[in-house]
Amino acid sequence: MKTIEKILYHIKYEGPVTAKVLADKFQLTTMGIRQHLQAMEEQGLVDAYDVKVKVGRPTRHWQLTSQGHQHFSDHHAELAIQTLDAVSDLFGQQGLQAIIAQREQQTLTHYQAAIADCPDLKSKLMTLTELRQRDGYMAELINDDHGFLLIENHCPICLAATRCPSLCHSELTIFQHLLGENTLIQRQEHIITGQRRCAYRITSK
């Protein structure tokens, strides 16, 4: 993977970052990283903002632009939108909701089979994270003092979900049915509302 691709993936997963952090991460000089970032800025993939510090000059942080996020977009997204529009035109909202419900049930059945032998919430979430990773969500799981945080750094259905918000509601419904009524799931961050990722706080009731 080229250095520029590595930088894009790092910012996608970790959020805004300084050139020094990237230099340490990839064992390159800070000057070399800055040259890559400047080239990426010229391509419209990243931009920068300064953060004031108590002592010294402000620290420059680099983040993905909308174009940078689109670098990870599903190439079939436009086809998915066209399909949703066609279903809506031919069969109305009732037909569209039937399609979404069918997708929801198929996904739930697939996930249920995968976690069938998982003995506890943690193992279920680890398996779910792996499944979501395979599905293109750039998923990761964090276990902290407040429970679990399932993070999805990318949404391959983002454009379709923007057009049809029921898809996002369906995702949350799948998680709730999968993990059971004794598990509380709260979406704390949401890509289609302008945040850089989707994040779900998951705790046992």
Side-chain angles (χ1 to χ4, degrees):
M1 187 183 295
K2 295 181 179 179
T3 301
I4 287 180
E5 289 292 326
K6 291 179 181 179
I7 293 171
L8 285 171
Y9 271 90
H10 183 86
I11 300 176
K12 181 68 171 172
Y13 271 97
E14 303 296 336
V17 66
T18 65
K20 185 178 185 309
V21 168
L22 290 171
D24 292 342
K25 170 74 175 179
F26 300 119
Q27 297 182 336
L28 296 170
T29 65
T30 303
M31 180 62 70
I33 288 292
R34 287 200 181 103
Q35 290 175 347
H36 283 301
L37 288 168
Q38 287 168 1
M40 293 163 66
E41 185 177 30
E42 291 173 0
Q43 296 173 44
L45 298 173
V46 299
D47 59 21
Y49 63 93
D50 292 332
V51 177
K52 292 183 179 180
V53 294
K54 292 182 178 179
V55 180
R57 295 189 303 175
T59 303
R60 175 149 293 190
H61 287 67
W62 295 85
Q63 62 186 356
L64 296 184
T65 62
S66 296
Q67 185 176 333
H69 283 291
Q70 289 172 9
H71 180 81
F72 299 91
S73 295
D74 183 2
H75 296 299
H76 303 291
E78 189 59 37
L79 175 60
I81 290 176
Q82 291 172 359
T83 301
L84 290 174
D85 286 343
V87 170
S88 180
D89 290 342
L90 290 170
F91 305 107
Q93 282 298 308
Q94 185 175 355
L96 182 59
Q97 293 306 314
I99 292 290
I100 293 172
Q102 178 67 15
R103 173 187 177 273
E104 180 179 308
Q105 185 56 54
Q106 289 176 339
T107 303
L108 178 60
T109 300
H110 172 56
Y111 287 179
Q112 284 175 328
I115 71 165
D117 296 327
C118 296
D120 53 32
L121 180 60
K122 182 177 182 179
S123 59
K124 288 179 181 178
L125 287 173
M126 290 175 65
T127 301
L128 176 60
T129 302
E130 183 178 345
L131 290 168
R132 300 296 280 183
Q133 178 74 8
R134 292 177 187 173
D135 288 343
Y137 287 85
M138 294 187 182
E140 55 185 321
L141 183 67
I142 295 175
N143 187 0
D144 57 26
D145 294 338
H146 303 288
F148 297 95
L149 191 65
L150 174 61
I151 296 170
E152 295 178 345
N153 294 288
H154 178 61
C155 178
I157 65 168
C158 183
L159 289 178
T162 301
R163 180 70 62 86
C164 183
S166 294
L167 285 169
C168 276
H169 180 72
S170 179
E171 301 279 281
L172 196 55
T173 300
I174 289 170
F175 292 163
Q176 192 64 71
H177 282 307
L178 187 69
L179 300 175
E181 60 183 13
N182 292 325
T183 303
L184 178 63
I185 305 173
Q186 298 172 298
R187 183 188 277 129
Q188 296 186 335
E189 297 178 57
H190 201 185
I191 289 175
I192 69 169
T193 63
Q195 295 172 299
R196 74 173 185 86
R197 64 185 187 179
C198 288
Y200 302 85
R201 171 60 65 186
I202 303 171
T203 55
S204 296
K205 291 183 180 179

